[in-house]
Amino acid sequence: MRLQLINRGLRSQYDLKSTSVFANCKRFSVSNNGYSNLDRPVSSFIPERNPEFPNRSEYVQNGVDNVHGWSEAFSSKLEGVRQAVDNVCKILQSGPWGPSVEIALSKCDENPSTELVTGVLRRLDDVNVALNYFRWAEKKTLQAHCPEAYNSLLMVMARSRNFEYMEQILEEISLAGFGPSNTVSIELVAGCVKKRKLKEAFDIIQTMRKFKIRPAFSAYTTLIGALSAVQEPDLMLSLFHQMQELGYEVNVHLFTTVIRAFAREGRVDAALSLLDEMKSNAFDADIVLYNVCIDCFGKAGKVDMAWKFFHELKAHGILPDDVTYTSMIGVLCKANRLNEAVDLFEQLEFNRTVPCAYAYNTMIMGYGSAGKFDEAYNLLERQRQKGSIPSVIAYNSLLTCLGKKQRVDEALRIFQEMRKDAAPNLSTYNILIDMLCRAGKLDVALEIRDTMKAVGLFPNVLTVNIMIDRLCKAQQLDEACSIFEAMDHKVCTPNEFTFCSLIDGLGRQGRVHDAYRLYEQMLDFDLTPNAIVYTSLIRNFFKCGRKEDGHKIYKEMVRRGTSPDLTLLNTYMDCVFKAGETEKGRSLFEEIKTWGFTPDVRSYSILIHGLIKAGCARETYELFYAMKEQGYVLDTFAYNTVIDGFCKSGKVNKAYQLLEEMKVKGLDPTVVTYGSVIDGLAKIDRLDEAYMLFEEAKSKGIPLNVVIYSSLVDGFGKVGRIDEAYLIMEELMQKGLSPNVYTWNCLLDALVKAEEIDEALVCFKSMKELKCTPNTFTYSIIINGLCRVRKFNKAFVFWQEMQKEGLKPNMITYTTMISGLAKAGNVSEADKLFQKFKGKGGIPDSACYNTMIEGLSIANRAMEAYELFEETRLRGCNIYTKTCVILLDALHKAECLEQAAIVGAILREIAKSQHASRSL
């Protein structure tokens, strides 16, 4: 509030006393060379017009200038100012600003001079202290500060990188009719650039322009150069146009810098527009600009345009230099236009006495990338014959290409040969170690590492990161951990990538506790985990069933101020949906927007898939069509997600339509696409259509998996088309695939339902011979089949075998076995099994109860049968008419007349209800 009142007062002073302000400040104005007096030492000021300093004219006696006397007086006065500055600084450093400090300052100097204020501000580094003193001096003198004082205050802000009050100060000096000196405006921008705070530097320039202040030319060029290094072409272009608006003369070098930024990003139209603008301003492109255009447009994939610049350069009478040729050769090699690259290389080398080593390196890399290693080796020999020894760069290029082609042994041979020409460097060893780790040759990689140490090259953090990352991907985590633990932190300190690779590798193998311990160690190293680390931790905690820990990691990330990326948010949302937290998943989809991201196709696909699993089919269809209306380019993953959802919810026709739509749009259906639709059709008995799709997928060369074959086996089996189910099974095995337990169960179930139990037993035997272990459902199917054909004793053998294998019978198995034993007359065994089943918490169904009642009745255990009859009624299970008749007969034989009367009454009620239902 106090500062606002002072500002208002200052503005009124500027209006009332503007003439006197500028008169007093005239000697602080910007000099012709663009620098203000702020940048000069106090001793360099000319003080003739300053009443506080000795006037030199007073020291002229009899026409002779008494320089010595004037100098002594001036030095004495200057020393007095310095002493005063020291005293004020001591007061300001004595404690926080307050009345006591103000009183001490007043005692020191009631009316502080311009020299004193400026001198004090030059020494201060705290903006708040400087601003308080600045305002206090203003209040004491009752006049506005001169430009030099304002410049000194802005320099304090530049030194401390504290710009909280900068806009306020710039507004004041703008109202006073002057601006900061060129040096100050440059320092304000350059200070931010040094700290890599480029957005702050950009905002400083925009604030100056807001108050009609003209930033220095070098302030613009410094920031444009820094922005070019971080690929911010739009900000660069904005500054470039501002310079033109202010009348600064932009040169070819500036045009080149901005054009390069746009061309590197592949924004060809913007780069060409700048080129046209440059030509319209009558600037002639130089060799540097042409080289930049050839390189950048070529790397952006615009090879023909790069060729155009190459020919245009020669048409303008500019001779291509080594950089021009080499850049164009590199562009052609990357575009797989090797013949053209070779022709251009021969042009460069024609009648040349000294070979261009850079061009040779580029051409060797081109041959290597194309897999033409003989030509690359010949080029190396040709370079030697011309008197130029191939460099380590040429060999590193060759080794890199050999690694990509997995020619490891050949790479090791070249590594041994290269020592004749060039000493391997760190990059050489890193390339080899990376290659060997990828090939799984860890022992050789460790030998190379030891060789590296023997020649005095110690593995750097990149070497360690390569080994750890490759070992983690090869699931050799113990070796990766041992390399990490053996790191000498004085020589090689782990960085974010080291921890990231190891945390992710451990997490993927289920060692989430170790991964989290490493995360804590990372924090101990004062390293800031990035979004990749948090993504890995969240995904792997959820994968291990520790969803609460996954949620905690996300909250911890937010608390630590780490901003997630879209990949992290998508992964977290996917994990949450898979954990069954549908509403949380919905809210995370909305949270993507609050973080400033736009949901992509993957975001929508995860949302759709999650909602499908939650049974919200209608909502997912709306989302899918909304995506299409909003212009999203739907990928295969998005289509597969929705097709699978349609099939699982019974909308197979819609799924079929989307499959056809994919083909029309040029998206190739995958095994997942075909698998979903084939399974959907098979489940609704549209088997001929399913088989047609199956054949279509094979004709397109799509590698079909066991899941698709199992869907067809199950479909054909359920409708009794056993022969076709067999044919599918045979084809599956002919393709080299192994039927899984689900496939066998589908075939066994079909055989049992067709009462081909002997064939089912043969299949069961084949299943075991093919090393496919039967599960509980397999045994249940066989036991049920044997009981259906009244082979109860054999069923009991399978029952015992099942338990020996350590498999626990389920309700179906128990029910089937109990019914079979009872029907076979082995009531005692059936009753024991029945009681055991209930003792383990099993709940018998109606069929099981009725079978046991009938078995006990036939075995003359009428009262036990009646007790079970009452239990059945209490549980609400249905009593069959046949069961009542058999039980009634047994009760009469046992002369249990009272119980017989109750069963008879219930039998009559059942008969009446059945008669009534038939009448209806």
Side-chain angles (χ1 to χ4, degrees), residues 22-81:
F22 290 116
N24 290 333
C25 296
K26 185 176 181 182
R27 64 192 177 89
F28 299 102
S29 61
V30 177
S31 61
N32 291 333
N33 62 5
Y35 292 94
S36 77
N37 292 325
L38 169 67
D39 307 303
R40 297 161 56 193
V42 175
S43 59
S44 69
F45 291 156
I46 299 175
E48 282 87 341
R49 287 176 292 177
N50 189 340
E52 297 183 10
F53 279 82
N55 191 333
R56 187 168 179 174
S57 63
E58 295 176 3
Y59 289 83
V60 177
Q61 297 176 355
N62 301 322
V64 179
D65 191 350
N66 186 0
V67 176
H68 180 70
W70 177 84
S71 179
E72 284 187 352
F74 180 78
S75 297
S76 175
K77 185 64 180 177
L78 188 60
E79 185 59 35
V81 172

Side-chain angles (χ1 to χ4, degrees), residues 535-552:
T535 304
S536 173
L537 287 170
I538 289 168
R539 179 183 59 243
N540 292 319
F541 270 122
F542 270 93
K543 189 178 174 182
C544 291
R546 294 169 60 177
K547 67 177 184 179
E548 294 305 322
D549 289 324
H551 290 310
K552 285 177 184 176

Side-chain angles (χ1 to χ4, degrees), residues 397-410:
S397 300
L398 202 48
L399 290 172
T400 300
C401 295
L402 287 166
K404 287 179 180 177
K405 302 294 182 181
Q406 298 179 355
R407 295 167 73 160
V408 180
D409 294 334
E410 193 172 343

